[in-house]
Amino acid sequence: MSAKTYEVRTYGCQMNVHDSERLSGLLEDAGYVRAPEGADGDADVVVFNTCAVRENADNKLYGNLGRLAPMKTKRPGMQIAVGGCLAQKDRDTIVRRAPWVDVVFGTHNIGKLPVLLERARIQEEAQVEIAESLEAFPSTLPTRRESAYAAWVSISVGCNNTCTFCIVPALRGKEKDRRTGDILAEIEALVGEGVSEITLLGQNVNAYGSDIGDREAFSKLLRACGKIDGLERVRFTSPHPRDFTDDVIAAMAETPNVMPQLHMPLQSGSDTVLKAMRRSYRQDRYLGIIEKVRAAMPDAAISTDIIVGFPGETEEDFEETLHVVREARFAQAFTFQYSKRPGTPAADMDGQIPKAVVQARYERLVALQEEISWEENKLQVGRTLDVMVAEGEGRKDGATHRLSGRSPDNRLVHFAKPEEPVRPGDVVTVDVTYAAPHHLLAEGLAKAVRRTRAGDAWEKRTAAPPQPAGVMLGLPTIGAPAPLPAPTGGCSAPA
């Protein structure tokens, strides 16, 4: 009898992407195998790891569940599970609207998925189990990582902020920090397996240490990462300006393997709007952090998230946002048009902005940021960069005979394929010859190719018997795992 197959569909932030790696690990630990690529629901178990932050998240979920209903009728024994933030929020509503769902689980008890599936099979009725608080830190669960050379490492879960546009703290709970020793032990184990780049992950990553009252815990963690032999690149997402202290800037500048790259959400440049959002900083504070980061790391690439059209935003407020964008000169900005999220204070605020006004402001912001991104990228022309080769980053690489990867500051670089074999995880030294708003191009011969342990790990993984498809994400990916900057949910990705 062949093993049962599974498929995981993921929507939302990096936290969800990493949770899906754990869901895959749990299912494989229970004896399931991944469905072939392109299965599109043709599996014994289909798991939806949902997001409550994205616009129309519930409509998308129920639409997908509806498409699976006839497939389930034709496939005896097929099971459907729904987890993640929307499951935590809607609970019994899911089974009422889609009675063919077998399991509903929340953000705090993902480790229960195999047990709930088995219980639903035996009892022949839906199992809905939502924990109100974290049962076990997710990093203790089995994990099937999506990359051989780069990995997420969770340092905390939950969030203590009360931003009026965000429902994530209500669904993920209060911040809970992981023991530093456990974090470092996981990183060392990953490096031992060949991983050379890690991204420290938290809903409010630089608030790490709040559990124990150590305001310097995050900078200490960064410095400790610098002492791990074989760890070449360290990134983190997403920090909050409120908790961004001088010791973190110093740790970034003084720790060689912490990359010169920062993704720090702005959300608005208007002090009035920031107050309405309950963002505990103001324009001067934000620009002051940018100034300090640039003084310590002149070549750092800084990216951000911005909301346009928050309730009550005036034209003057919007001009303040444009002012910050001009001053900060972000390498990249993830821009969102505000839309109501049920359950958030902002959804009931007066002064909701007409869609046409929001759209017009959004287009002006995007045009300004595109111009700045291109100007900032043009400054990279002529520079020599060490590019870590990525897997699947360049959609046109096959046609252009190029490879793609990330520079230390996380810019996407397409480069001519060297004559010698190059694998994802290896590092190629190239000269930048051309800049576009969202990528760099190195058209000449590579100056050097360094084969790495990470490349060895990728080669070993791909030399094994072919594995079925990877986790299907609900947002564009830009690496494996998706490198920063990227929307991250909660305080960092309202849309």
Side-chain angles (χ1 to χ4, degrees):
M1 181 178 177
S2 60
K4 290 185 177 181
T5 58
Y6 76 90
E7 177 186 344
V8 178
R9 301 186 186 185
T10 311
Y11 306 92
C13 67
Q14 288 102 322
M15 199 72 74
N16 271 17
V17 175
H18 192 25
D19 280 350
S20 286
E21 291 184 326
R22 296 182 179 115
L23 292 171
S24 296
L26 283 161
L27 290 170
E28 293 190 6
D29 210 41
Y32 294 84
V33 297
R34 282 203 173 181
E37 187 172 356
D40 194 25
D42 187 14
D44 295 299
V45 172
V46 179
V47 183
F48 291 86
N49 190 8
T50 64
C51 172
V53 175
R54 305 292 181 193
E55 188 171 7
N56 297 320
D58 53 347
N59 291 336
K60 293 175 182 176
L61 171 66
Y62 294 117
N64 285 319
L65 289 175
R67 283 189 287 274
L68 285 186
M71 189 176 295
K72 187 179 182 188
T73 301
K74 297 175 183 177
R75 186 178 182 125
M78 179 181 178
Q79 291 183 298
I80 300 172
V82 179
C85 288
L86 194 65
Q88 187 80 21
K89 173 176 170 286
D90 285 358
R91 307 182 180 218
D92 296 321
T93 304
I94 294 173
V95 174
R96 179 172 55 80
R97 291 185 60 177
W100 53 93
V101 169
D102 299 277
V103 171
V104 178
F105 62 101
T107 59
H108 298 308
N109 64 334
I110 64 175
K112 289 288 187 67
L113 176 59
V115 171
L116 293 172
L117 287 169
E118 183 66 8
R119 192 184 300 165
R121 185 186 66 80
I122 294 172
Q123 298 183 9
E124 298 184 342
E125 63 180 12
Q127 301 296 308
V128 179
E129 186 171 308
I130 306 291
E132 297 302 327
S133 59
L134 195 67
E135 294 185 346
F137 204 92
S139 291
T140 62
L141 301 174
T143 303
R144 187 195 191 282
R145 297 189 180 270
E146 295 306 308
S147 170
Y149 56 90
W152 304 110
V153 176
S154 287
I155 69 170
S156 63
V157 294
C159 180
N160 294 335
N161 293 317
T162 57
C163 300
T164 55
F165 56 77
C166 183
I167 199 170
V168 169
L171 305 178
R172 290 276 181 180
K174 291 292 185 181
E175 180 177 326
K176 183 174 179 58
D177 293 337
R178 197 172 164 204
R179 287 182 61 252
T180 303
D182 292 342
I183 296 169
L184 295 175
E186 180 181 357
I187 296 172
E188 288 172 349
L190 288 167
V191 172
E193 295 169 5
V195 168
S196 61
E197 176 178 322
I198 61 104
T199 301
L200 302 175
L201 188 61
Q203 215 74 51
N204 183 11
V205 70
N206 61 325
Y208 178 74
S210 61
D211 269 3
I212 57 176
D214 183 357
R215 285 181 56 83
E216 296 188 355
F218 185 63
S219 62
K220 292 174 183 175
L221 178 60
L222 291 178
R223 292 183 186 277
C225 288
K227 298 177 182 177
I228 298 177
D229 187 39
L231 180 58
E232 297 192 15
R233 295 186 174 189
V234 178
R235 306 186 191 276
F236 57 88
T237 188
S238 261
H240 193 296
R242 181 196 67 185
D243 303 300
F244 210 87
T245 50
D246 290 350
D247 59 293
V248 172
I249 298 173
M252 292 178 67
E254 296 166 9
T255 310
N257 64 356
V258 176
M259 294 295 95
Q261 173 245 327
L262 174 65
H263 182 76
M264 186 164 66
L266 168 66
Q267 308 302 13
S268 174
S270 163
D271 288 354
T272 301
V273 175
L274 288 170
K275 183 178 180 181
M277 289 178 168
R278 290 190 200 147
R279 300 287 285 178
S280 50
Y281 56 89
R282 299 296 177 259
Q283 180 186 122
D284 285 350
R285 160 72 173 157
Y286 189 94
L287 288 175
I289 294 171
I290 300 293
E291 184 178 357
K292 289 179 180 179
V293 170
R294 289 246 160 83
M297 295 170 286
D299 294 328
I302 301 172
S303 57
T304 196
D305 299 322
I306 301 173
I307 303 172
V308 177
F310 189 80
E313 180 188 73
T314 64
E315 179 63 24
E316 291 73 21
D317 292 325
F318 179 65
E319 287 290 345
E320 288 297 305
T321 295
L322 297 181
H323 168 70
V324 175
V325 170
R326 292 187 187 100
E327 290 293 311
R329 299 197 64 79
F330 299 114
Q332 190 175 11
F334 293 90
T335 52
F336 305 91
Q337 297 185 39
Y338 173 78
S339 58
K340 290 184 178 182
R341 294 294 183 270
T344 63
D348 299 320
M349 285 182 175
D350 294 332
Q352 302 286 330
I353 311 297
K355 172 66 175 176
V357 175
V358 177
Q359 180 68 33
R361 289 177 183 172
Y362 175 79
E363 291 173 1
R364 288 163 59 195
L365 173 61
V366 169
L368 174 61
Q369 182 56 51
E370 286 280 300
E371 178 184 333
I372 291 172
S373 293
W374 200 357
E375 290 172 354
E376 290 298 303
N377 272 1
K378 286 176 181 177
L379 297 177
Q380 304 296 310
V381 174
R383 291 190 64 191
T384 300
L385 301 176
D386 289 333
V387 178
M388 181 177 288
V389 183
E391 186 173 26
E393 288 253 38
R395 287 172 292 181
K396 299 179 181 178
D397 283 351
T400 59
H401 303 289
R402 294 176 182 143
L403 297 175
S404 300
R406 293 278 162 176
S407 64
D409 67 8
N410 205 47
R411 284 182 166 91
L412 177 62
V413 183
H414 303 301
F415 57 94
K417 186 179 293 186
E419 293 181 0
E420 59 188 286
V422 178
R423 310 156 301 176
D426 288 341
V427 176
V428 179
T429 304
V430 298
D431 290 331
V432 178
T433 56
Y434 174 80
H438 302 294
H439 71 266
L440 303 174
L441 183 61
E443 299 167 293
L445 294 175
K447 301 185 76 170
V449 173
R450 178 166 62 86
R451 292 173 70 83
T452 65
R453 291 170 59 253
D456 293 343
W458 178 89
E459 194 168 57
K460 181 179 179 182
R461 175 185 283 201
T462 54
Q467 296 294 315
V471 172
M472 300 172 63
L473 308 186
L475 75 169
T477 60
I478 51 173
L484 298 180
T488 58
C491 295
S492 306

